[in-house]
């Protein structure tokens, strides 16, 4: 089995190395990841600049490909150019910070997995709640157990899974729940400041919105200390509304 390991926190991020370690004995785990942190770049790709790729020493005699680009660039470049053979799994993470609710759409971690799914490759994004001392190895081991169960089933469907792990320093998770994506996002807010030259700048502040109690969603289940698994799709069409809009009888 060949696994492409990537992330948005950068190729030297401890979460990526933990994920690679947890998947290493499944076969060949190849690291292709951004040279610089790329959190919240979403599904951006590099169109007008060249992309350079560097050999990066990951320790223990391992070498990865450091890409001067976004997470989506990494997967696209790896699949189409850098790797000689197809991969069986794209694993993105372990990201520092949960990717639940609307934040899924800002996430570079999830975008890398989505890019894998574009190529028909089973893909998974793995994130852990942001804490002072995130247990990346613990989160990566949880991801590995979930992947084993997924791949143990017949078919190995080209599915796209988003996995979030609660803060493990507070004890083991209560279990795993398969839940839909919440529509809660970031409680928006801006601080308006002045720089030393008297020019105004803005800094985003605030934090993740909490889900209403009793809601069945990724945001709620993670807050209740469950590992969450959400199958995602990248067809953004509002299929339920297609007929409604068609019925408007739009014409030029
Ligand atoms: Mn990140």
């Amino acid at each position: 089995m060949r696994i492409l390991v990537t992330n948005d926190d950068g190729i030297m991020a401890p979460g990526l190395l933990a994920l690679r370690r947890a998947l290493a004995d499944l076969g060949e785990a190849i690291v292709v990841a951004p040279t610089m942190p790329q959190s919240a770049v979403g599904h951006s790709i590099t169109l007008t600049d060249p992309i350079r790729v560097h050999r990066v020493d990951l320790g223990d005699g391992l070498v990865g490909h450091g890409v001067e680009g976004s997470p989506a660039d990494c997967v696209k470049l790896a699949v189409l150019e850098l790797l000689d053979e197809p991969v069986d799994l794209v694993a993105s993470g372990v990201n520092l910070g949960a990717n639940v609710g609307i934040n899924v759409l800002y996430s570079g971690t999830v975008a890398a997995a989505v890019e894998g799914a574009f190529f028909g490759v089973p893909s998974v994004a793995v994130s852990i709640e942001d804490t002072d001392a995130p247990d990346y190895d613990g989160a990566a081991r949880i991801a590995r157990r979930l992947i084993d169960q997924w791949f143990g089933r017949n078919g190995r469907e080209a599915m796209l899974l988003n996995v979030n792990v609660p803060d493990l320093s507070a004890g083991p998770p209560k279990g795993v729940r398969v839940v839909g994506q919440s529509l809660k996002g970031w409680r928006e807010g801006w601080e308006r400041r002045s720089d030393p030259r008297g020019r105004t700048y803005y800094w985003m502040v605030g934090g993740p919105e909490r889900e209403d109690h009793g809601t069945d969603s990724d945001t709620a289940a993670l807050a209740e200390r469950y590992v969450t698994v959400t199958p995602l799709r990248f067809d953004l069409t509002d299929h339920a509304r297609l007929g409604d809009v068609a019925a408007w009888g739009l014409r030029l």
Side-chain angles (χ1 to χ4, degrees):
M1 181 154 156
R2 286 161 58 81
I3 303 150
L4 170 58
V5 183
T6 190
N7 72 349
D8 77 359
D9 291 337
I11 194 162
M12 296 313 290
L16 176 130
L17 301 177
L19 189 57
R20 198 213 65 82
R21 260 194 308 277
L23 300 177
D25 70 317
L26 281 172
E28 195 183 354
I30 307 139
V31 172
V32 182
T35 50
M36 300 292 285
Q38 296 284 319
S39 291
V41 302
H43 210 114
S44 67
I45 54 171
T46 304
L47 275 185
T48 52
D49 288 306
I51 298 181
R52 295 182 203 285
V53 182
H54 308 274
R55 286 169 57 86
V56 176
D57 182 359
L58 302 174
D60 298 334
L62 296 164
V63 175
H65 305 263
V67 174
E68 292 182 4
S70 69
D73 285 330
C74 290
V75 174
K76 203 182 282 295
L77 196 60
V79 169
L80 295 176
E81 189 65 28
L82 298 177
L83 308 182
D84 304 328
E85 293 172 59
V87 291
D88 305 294
L89 172 70
V90 172
S92 180
V94 175
N95 184 64
L96 175 58
N99 280 307
V100 290
I102 297 295
N103 293 324
V104 167
L105 290 159
Y106 299 122
S107 168
T109 306
V110 173
V114 171
E115 188 70 32
F118 285 174
F119 289 103
V121 179
S123 299
V124 59
V126 185
S127 308
I128 187 168
E129 277 184 313
D130 194 352
T131 59
D132 291 338
D135 181 358
Y136 293 114
D137 282 309
R141 282 194 297 269
I142 287 170
R144 167 62 192 270
R145 286 198 286 272
L146 298 174
I147 291 166
D148 283 347
Q149 293 167 69
W150 174 18
F151 276 62
R153 303 186 66 82
N154 289 334
R156 291 193 185 186
E157 269 183 88
M159 231 184 305
L160 167 60
L161 296 183
N162 185 30
V163 173
N164 283 275
V165 177
D167 173 17
L168 298 175
S169 67
K174 282 188 190 166
V176 56
R177 282 181 59 192
V178 178
V179 280
Q181 182 187 331
S182 165
L183 297 181
K184 297 289 181 184
W186 192 261
R187 207 168 38 246
E188 309 284 346
W190 295 94
E191 260 188 43
R192 185 167 182 257
R193 301 183 185 176
S194 285
D195 75 10
R197 297 185 191 277
R199 293 172 302 201
T200 300
Y201 67 94
Y202 299 88
W203 202 303
M204 186 185 277
V205 293
E209 272 185 306
R210 298 171 71 90
E211 187 66 273
D212 298 331
H213 190 70
T215 309
D216 193 30
S217 76
D218 56 359
T219 300
L222 188 69
E224 291 167 26
R225 300 196 32 76
Y226 286 92
V227 172
T228 66
V229 177
T230 305
L232 299 177
R233 61 181 182 188
F234 48 79
D235 175 1
L236 299 181
T237 311
D238 187 347
H239 288 276
R241 291 278 164 78
L242 265 180
D244 294 346
V245 178
W248 295 354
L250 295 168
R251 53 180 182 268
L252 299 181

